[in-house]
PDB file of all heavy atoms in Angstrom:
ATOM      1  N   ARG L  87     167.658  51.453  14.764  1.00 98.00           N
ATOM      2  CA  ARG L  87     168.947  50.791  14.914  1.00 98.00           C
ATOM      3  C   ARG L  87     168.821  49.329  14.912  1.00 98.00           C
ATOM      4  O   ARG L  87     169.550  48.568  14.234  1.00 98.00           O
ATOM      5  CB  ARG L  87     169.626  51.268  16.219  1.00 98.00           C
ATOM      6  CG  ARG L  87     170.126  52.668  16.158  1.00 98.00           C
ATOM      7  CD  ARG L  87     171.172  52.950  17.180  1.00 98.00           C
ATOM      8  NE  ARG L  87     170.861  52.562  18.476  1.00 98.00           N
ATOM      9  CZ  ARG L  87     170.256  53.653  19.387  1.00 98.00           C
ATOM     10  NH1 ARG L  87     170.203  54.811  19.004  1.00 98.00           N
ATOM     11  NH2 ARG L  87     169.932  53.126  20.709  1.00 98.00           N
ATOM     12  N   SER L 111     190.907  31.332   4.050  1.00 97.00           N
ATOM     13  CA  SER L 111     192.027  31.702   3.253  1.00 97.00           C
ATOM     14  C   SER L 111     192.976  32.496   4.056  1.00 97.00           C
ATOM     15  O   SER L 111     194.241  32.383   3.905  1.00 97.00           O
ATOM     16  CB  SER L 111     191.565  32.379   2.036  1.00 97.00           C
ATOM     17  OG  SER L 111     190.622  31.663   1.323  1.00 97.00           O
ATOM     18  N   TRP L 133     171.619  39.120  18.277  1.00 98.00           N
ATOM     19  CA  TRP L 133     171.242  39.347  19.664  1.00 98.00           C
ATOM     20  C   TRP L 133     171.227  40.889  20.024  1.00 98.00           C
ATOM     21  O   TRP L 133     170.178  41.379  20.610  1.00 98.00           O
ATOM     22  CB  TRP L 133     172.404  38.678  20.570  1.00 98.00           C
ATOM     23  CG  TRP L 133     172.289  38.996  21.953  1.00 98.00           C
ATOM     24  CD1 TRP L 133     172.955  40.004  22.671  1.00 98.00           C
ATOM     25  CD2 TRP L 133     171.483  38.417  22.977  1.00 98.00           C
ATOM     26  NE1 TRP L 133     172.754  40.063  24.075  1.00 98.00           N
ATOM     27  CE2 TRP L 133     171.728  39.003  24.304  1.00 98.00           C
ATOM     28  CE3 TRP L 133     170.588  37.211  23.056  1.00 98.00           C
ATOM     29  CZ2 TRP L 133     171.250  38.656  25.428  1.00 98.00           C
ATOM     30  CZ3 TRP L 133     170.008  37.013  24.198  1.00 98.00           C
ATOM     31  CH2 TRP L 133     170.184  37.694  25.423  1.00 98.00           C
ATOM     32  N   ILE L 168     189.334  47.117  18.453  1.00 98.00           N
ATOM     33  CA  ILE L 168     190.596  46.449  17.936  1.00 98.00           C
ATOM     34  C   ILE L 168     190.549  45.055  18.108  1.00 98.00           C
ATOM     35  O   ILE L 168     190.347  44.571  19.204  1.00 98.00           O
ATOM     36  CB  ILE L 168     191.773  47.223  18.751  1.00 98.00           C
ATOM     37  CG1 ILE L 168     191.684  48.771  18.627  1.00 98.00           C
ATOM     38  CG2 ILE L 168     193.182  46.658  18.059  1.00 98.00           C
ATOM     39  CD1 ILE L 168     192.890  49.405  19.455  1.00 98.00           C
ATOM     40  N   ILE L 224     189.821  50.408   9.239  1.00 98.00           N
ATOM     41  CA  ILE L 224     191.153  50.725   8.717  1.00 98.00           C
ATOM     42  C   ILE L 224     191.945  49.535   8.794  1.00 98.00           C
ATOM     43  O   ILE L 224     191.989  48.791   9.664  1.00 98.00           O
ATOM     44  CB  ILE L 224     191.797  52.012   9.532  1.00 98.00           C
ATOM     45  CG1 ILE L 224     191.597  51.681  11.049  1.00 98.00           C
ATOM     46  CG2 ILE L 224     191.067  53.232   9.152  1.00 98.00           C
ATOM     47  CD1 ILE L 224     192.445  52.687  11.833  1.00 98.00           C
ATOM     48  N   ARG L 228     201.703  45.220  10.479  1.00 96.00           N
ATOM     49  CA  ARG L 228     202.160  45.197  11.990  1.00 96.00           C
ATOM     50  C   ARG L 228     202.863  46.467  12.338  1.00 96.00           C
ATOM     51  O   ARG L 228     202.708  46.947  13.485  1.00 96.00           O
ATOM     52  CB  ARG L 228     203.014  43.996  12.048  1.00 96.00           C
ATOM     53  CG  ARG L 228     203.064  43.472  13.528  1.00 96.00           C
ATOM     54  CD  ARG L 228     203.742  42.129  13.514  1.00 96.00           C
ATOM     55  NE  ARG L 228     203.345  41.192  12.374  1.00 96.00           N
ATOM     56  CZ  ARG L 228     202.388  40.230  12.614  1.00 96.00           C
ATOM     57  NH1 ARG L 228     201.713  39.999  13.672  1.00 96.00           N
ATOM     58  NH2 ARG L 228     201.924  39.493  11.536  1.00 96.00           N
ATOM     59  N   LYS L 257     197.685  45.869  28.023  1.00 98.00           N
ATOM     60  CA  LYS L 257     198.247  46.835  29.140  1.00 98.00           C
ATOM     61  C   LYS L 257     198.853  47.995  28.498  1.00 98.00           C
ATOM     62  O   LYS L 257     198.628  49.071  29.195  1.00 98.00           O
ATOM     63  CB  LYS L 257     199.499  45.981  29.727  1.00 98.00           C
ATOM     64  CG  LYS L 257     199.065  44.905  30.776  1.00 98.00           C
ATOM     65  CD  LYS L 257     200.238  44.179  31.353  1.00 98.00           C
ATOM     66  CE  LYS L 257     199.714  43.091  32.280  1.00 98.00           C
ATOM     67  NZ  LYS L 257     200.950  42.309  32.929  1.00 98.00           N
ATOM     68  N   MET L 296     188.830  17.772  23.965  1.00 98.00           N
ATOM     69  CA  MET L 296     189.146  17.876  22.503  1.00 98.00           C
ATOM     70  C   MET L 296     188.604  19.210  21.921  1.00 98.00           C
ATOM     71  O   MET L 296     189.245  19.907  21.213  1.00 98.00           O
ATOM     72  CB  MET L 296     188.417  16.714  21.642  1.00 98.00           C
ATOM     73  CG  MET L 296     189.197  15.316  21.997  1.00 98.00           C
ATOM     74  SD  MET L 296     190.836  15.180  21.536  1.00 98.00           S
ATOM     75  CE  MET L 296     190.670  15.160  19.688  1.00 98.00           C
ATOM     76  N   ARG L 301     189.927  23.555  19.277  1.00 96.00           N
ATOM     77  CA  ARG L 301     189.238  24.512  18.405  1.00 96.00           C
ATOM     78  C   ARG L 301     190.309  25.589  17.963  1.00 96.00           C
ATOM     79  O   ARG L 301     191.029  26.129  18.782  1.00 96.00           O
ATOM     80  CB  ARG L 301     188.204  25.263  19.427  1.00 96.00           C
ATOM     81  CG  ARG L 301     187.347  26.308  18.826  1.00 96.00           C
ATOM     82  CD  ARG L 301     186.151  26.654  19.833  1.00 96.00           C
ATOM     83  NE  ARG L 301     185.414  27.761  19.464  1.00 96.00           N
ATOM     84  CZ  ARG L 301     185.328  28.905  20.337  1.00 96.00           C
ATOM     85  NH1 ARG L 301     185.984  28.977  21.517  1.00 96.00           N
ATOM     86  NH2 ARG L 301     184.564  29.909  19.924  1.00 96.00           N
ATOM     87  N   THR L 333     192.939   9.173  16.269  1.00 98.00           N
ATOM     88  CA  THR L 333     191.756   8.664  15.385  1.00 98.00           C
ATOM     89  C   THR L 333     190.895   9.802  14.920  1.00 98.00           C
ATOM     90  O   THR L 333     190.214   9.590  13.889  1.00 98.00           O
ATOM     91  CB  THR L 333     190.955   7.568  16.163  1.00 98.00           C
ATOM     92  OG1 THR L 333     190.439   8.256  17.288  1.00 98.00           O
ATOM     93  CG2 THR L 333     191.664   6.399  16.475  1.00 98.00           C
ATOM     94  N   ASN L 428     194.831  28.301  40.255  1.00 98.00           N
ATOM     95  CA  ASN L 428     194.787  29.670  40.458  1.00 98.00           C
ATOM     96  C   ASN L 428     196.216  30.316  40.450  1.00 98.00           C
ATOM     97  O   ASN L 428     196.228  31.366  40.601  1.00 98.00           O
ATOM     98  CB  ASN L 428     194.103  29.941  41.888  1.00 98.00           C
ATOM     99  CG  ASN L 428     192.618  29.666  41.738  1.00 98.00           C
ATOM    100  OD1 ASN L 428     192.004  29.689  40.683  1.00 98.00           O
ATOM    101  ND2 ASN L 428     191.979  29.373  42.936  1.00 98.00           N
ATOM    102  N   THR L 467     178.894  31.620  24.037  1.00 98.00           N
ATOM    103  CA  THR L 467     177.667  31.656  23.388  1.00 98.00           C
ATOM    104  C   THR L 467     177.244  33.148  23.625  1.00 98.00           C
ATOM    105  O   THR L 467     177.472  33.852  24.661  1.00 98.00           O
ATOM    106  CB  THR L 467     176.584  30.794  24.042  1.00 98.00           C
ATOM    107  OG1 THR L 467     175.386  30.928  23.334  1.00 98.00           O
ATOM    108  CG2 THR L 467     176.359  30.907  25.549  1.00 98.00           C
ATOM    109  N   GLU L 483     181.619  40.884  27.477  1.00 98.00           N
ATOM    110  CA  GLU L 483     181.039  41.072  26.107  1.00 98.00           C
ATOM    111  C   GLU L 483     179.841  39.952  25.924  1.00 98.00           C
ATOM    112  O   GLU L 483     179.952  38.811  26.556  1.00 98.00           O
ATOM    113  CB  GLU L 483     182.137  40.701  25.136  1.00 98.00           C
ATOM    114  CG  GLU L 483     183.163  41.930  25.142  1.00 98.00           C
ATOM    115  CD  GLU L 483     184.160  41.893  23.888  1.00 98.00           C
ATOM    116  OE1 GLU L 483     184.629  40.748  23.685  1.00 98.00           O
ATOM    117  OE2 GLU L 483     184.303  42.870  23.367  1.00 98.00           O
TER     118      GLU L 483
END
Side-chain angles (χ1 to χ4, degrees):
R87 288 202 301 269
S111 305
W133 172 264
I168 308 177
I224 47 170
R228 207 171 313 266
K257 285 181 181 179
M296 294 296 292
R301 179 170 172 238
T333 51
N428 289 336
T467 181
E483 293 194 310

